[in-house]
Amino acid sequence: AETRTVASPPEDEAQRALLLTAARCHGVGTAADLADYFRIRPAEAHPRLEELVADGRLSRCTVEGWSVPAYRHPGVVIPKQVEGRALLSPFDPVVWFRPRAERLFGFRYRVEIYVPAGKREFGYYVLPFLLGDRLVARVDLKADRAGDRLLARGVFVESGEDREEVAGELSSELDRLASFLDLNEVVVGRRGNLAKTLRAVRA
DNA sequence: ATAGATCATTGGAAGGAGAG
DNA sequence: CTCTCCTTCCAATGATCTAT
């Protein structure tokens, strides 16, 4: 095998390249959104972003409801509609940067495995439920290997969502996840404002 | 105010010990 | 060799405290 030595790029150039990649992955985002993607300090990201704007590689824009300016990648396309249905990992890019998730979806999310048990709001290991272009619910899951069951210990719907529809879609997704995890059945607990509807849907 | 450091919390994976 | 049991280690972010 042949190896080539390539000089490390200057830091500012590397940061611009990383921020441009972040912008491509985000479509549109605030300086804080883009900086966090590769963990660049905001104080350094700001001048790098302005340099990219000056070069024409990014454009500045405003987003309705956002209090700070945004940066848009020129290649971004806006889909006519977004179809999707997924239980997200706590570390999924959709929710990774909590302020962005909250700003975009009105979805306040914390990974409560790090929160003392008594102070947990939703549960130990809670996955957001993405449906279409919204985060419509969250569910506290546990794979009970010994019992061969997927436990949905708490199920919570966001306000303003259609409970029946969300419960139906979530029910299907839980079956899919149980199958993926090679677990025999899904057991829905009693905690949460969607637990009752979900249990009824599955009955 | 803001940044940095430190500790807290569990599931699971990996590896060793010991039994058969 | 295979299996089980046990211990150790790792992953991640949030809460809290300290320092600037």
Side-chain angles (χ1 to χ4, degrees):
Chain A
E2 184 187 343
T3 56
R4 291 185 298 159
T5 55
V6 178
S8 298
E11 190 173 32
D12 62 332
E13 194 179 315
Q15 289 179 333
R16 281 191 295 272
L18 291 169
L19 287 166
L20 198 58
T21 296
R24 180 164 47 75
C25 296
H26 282 73
V28 63
T30 66
D33 292 344
L34 303 182
D36 184 77
Y37 199 60
F38 288 110
R39 293 288 157 100
I40 295 171
R41 282 181 292 273
E44 293 175 56
H46 276 100
R48 298 297 91 75
L49 288 165
E50 287 305 318
E51 287 154 16
L52 287 166
V53 170
D55 287 352
R57 288 192 280 176
L58 285 183
S59 59
R60 259 171 165 276
C61 64
T62 58
V63 175
E64 196 181 322
W66 292 11
S67 60
V68 293
Y71 296 88
R72 189 175 71 90
H73 190 277
V76 68
V77 292
I78 301 171
K80 279 199 174 61
Q81 61 180 44
V82 177
E83 291 185 35
R85 188 185 77 189
L87 288 162
L88 304 181
S89 153
F91 313 117
D92 189 286
V94 171
V95 291
W96 174 272
F97 191 54
R98 312 296 186 225
R100 181 176 169 87
E102 195 158 343
R103 195 184 330 116
L104 282 175
F105 302 104
F107 192 83
R108 184 185 144 83
Y109 183 54
R110 295 290 113 97
V111 179
E112 296 191 293
I113 64 178
Y114 313 111
V115 174
K119 289 185 167 183
R120 285 183 198 139
E121 190 178 358
F122 297 106
Y124 173 72
Y125 202 83
V126 174
L127 305 193
F129 183 47
L130 175 74
L131 190 61
D133 61 0
R134 300 194 309 281
L135 293 171
V136 296
R138 63 188 91 204
V139 54
D140 183 24
L141 290 178
K142 178 179 169 55
D144 174 14
R145 288 285 164 196
D148 201 20
R149 305 174 301 174
L150 177 63
L151 307 180
R153 296 175 145 171
V155 195
F156 307 84
V157 68
E158 295 299 294
S159 65
E161 299 296 340
D162 181 328
R163 306 166 86 89
E164 293 288 335
E165 184 201 354
V166 170
E169 298 287 349
L170 180 57
S171 178
S172 301
E173 200 57 31
L174 289 172
D175 286 334
R176 259 171 50 88
L177 183 59
S179 170
F180 176 73
L181 294 172
D182 197 25
L183 294 168
N184 187 51
E185 65 171 327
V186 174
V187 177
V188 180
R190 298 191 175 281
R191 288 199 64 224
N193 60 1
L194 193 65
K196 199 172 173 182
T197 309
L198 182 59
R199 293 165 67 93
V201 163
R202 298 184 61 84

